[in-house]
Amino acid sequence: MLEFFAEMWGFAFMRRAFVATTVLSISIAPVGAFLVLRRLSLAGEAMAHAITPGIVIGFVAAGMSAASLLVGGLIAGIGVASLAALLARRTILRSDASLASLYLIALAAGIFILSAAGSAVPLQSFLFGSILGIDDPSMLLLGGVATVTLVSFAVLLRPLIVSTCDPVFFESQTRRPWVAEQIFMLLVVLNLLAAFKTLGTLMAVGLMILPATAARYWASTITGQLAAGFVCALSSCWIGLTLSYLLPETPSGPAIVLVAGCLFLVSALFGPLGFGGSFQSPSDAEARPVPRIPPQGRTP
Amino acid sequence: MPAILQIRNLALGYPGLTLFRQLSIDIEAGTMLAVLGANGSGKSTFVKALLGLIPPLSGQLAWPKGRPHEIGYLAQMSDFDRRFPIRVRDLASMGAWRGLGLWSGLDRAGRNRVAAALDEAGVLPLADRSLHTLSGGQLQRALFARVMLQDAPLILLDEPFAAVDQSTEEHLLSIMARWRREGRAVGLVVHDLSSVLDHCGQALLLGGGIATHGAVESVLTPERLVAQGYLSESQAAWMLRDPAASPASRCA
């Protein structure tokens, strides 16, 4: 057993991958937790696809570098998010439908441009990640994103908790409620970009959502949710990377996300807030008004 | 009584829709104002305008003693996510977060204040429960504890009794009576004509493009309720009938 780990960690690229995914887990777990709690899981998925053309254009124009990844991805992410918000506000479509339409266009455009440009990078590693792709600039990008994320969370944790739990109350408490929200969406895009090398564009959001949803079955406080989410993300990465090493033809992204998926299923079955526990949906019947007897003789 | 808020010539609405105009009220310390109106007449919009969340079409909100740092606010419960992982105690503590800023925690005195508020709202035994395990009434009591901790001179409650049983309503009304005695002003959106109005001194009736304000007895007359679209004529006639002639009293 020990010999196996000694052999696996004997490869520099495997050591890199383990360090990179550990940093990634620290950074992506709190983002994922709030994405799920804010009921934005599907918007996160859409965002992951929406940044594809930006990454591709950056890659085709400036080569595969951390800077082109960051700039292209940020422009595409912010562009699609703003356009979706504009569609939702000024046309009949709701925000989910606007975002879905735009991300589908973006994903198709990204893959089309990548193939048309005759890329040297195989499509598979683009979509699903490759543990071999983690070079020094990617490590720096990861470290930078993780730093920005943790500092932002240190400042924004309390506003994020209040705005997620009770948005209307939060609005009544602060003059600029949108600040926390916008910074949070920016963190989502940054973390998706950071996850891109290891997990690929299709799988990046998996490491964001699945550990958070798995953790939700165990935690009844926000602290517990964040801690359990990190543990789930980290173990998914380490087990997934090991699997990907054992089966050399497999890309790292799906391996990691599959392990996270197993953790999710186990949590749903056995977690205290899952099937095995005593969770009961808060009754909707109680939200309805109680019929009242009108008063008599209240009139002159 | 000194006015906390002077509303002058207020008009509210949205692009292409004016809900009402020319509303002037002094909201004084220790008043309890009931806000009534049919659906869509602008009750919640009025509350949000006082909070500064919706700009008025015209008119002014003047705060003679300065705008308070904190306005107590309880939104309609349908806006609330009951599956959020937080304990009752922490939910109530949110009322005190403005004094704490981004990092500092509650000191012993603060924790005692939270416990006292939960106790007064009758949910101290549930302090460590998750929100999804609470009934509608228990959640509303916890949210009342949060309003208490906001310690605000003006408190706005949007349909606080919509999802609670009669005994909880009674309990919450007694808390509101104490707020009045402490010199706080309370604005209360009520959905229907009920005994809640006996606790209110003043009423604001919205609907039919106008806003009528005054003492409860003078505003909530059948003629006015019909004129502003709150009741139909037959409903008003039913409420005006002689109770002695009603089928229920004949059976008794």
Side-chain angles (χ1 to χ4, degrees), chain A residues 13 17 19 26 33 56 78 83 110 114 146 159 176 186 197 242 251 292:
Chain A
F13 71 90
V19 173
I26 295 171
V56 169
I78 294 168
L83 205 54
L114 185 71
R176 287 177 288 274
L186 193 64
K197 278 288 174 64
T242 311
R292 248 173 252 280

Side-chain angles (χ1 to χ4, degrees), chain A residues 166 173 216 289 292 298, chain B residues 70 83 97-98 169 198:
Chain A
D166 196 344
Q173 288 270 302
R216 190 65 194 88
R292 248 173 252 280
R298 263 222 72 83
Chain B
E70 192 88 53
R83 297 190 183 202
W97 85 306
R98 175 165 298 229
E169 179 179 308
D198 289 338

Side-chain angles (χ1 to χ4, degrees), chain A residues 31-41 44 184 188 205 208-209:
Chain A
V31 175
F34 277 96
L35 205 58
V36 168
L37 292 175
R38 293 174 83 88
R39 301 184 237 181
L40 289 172
S41 313
F184 177 71
V188 171
V205 76
M208 214 175 250
I209 302 293

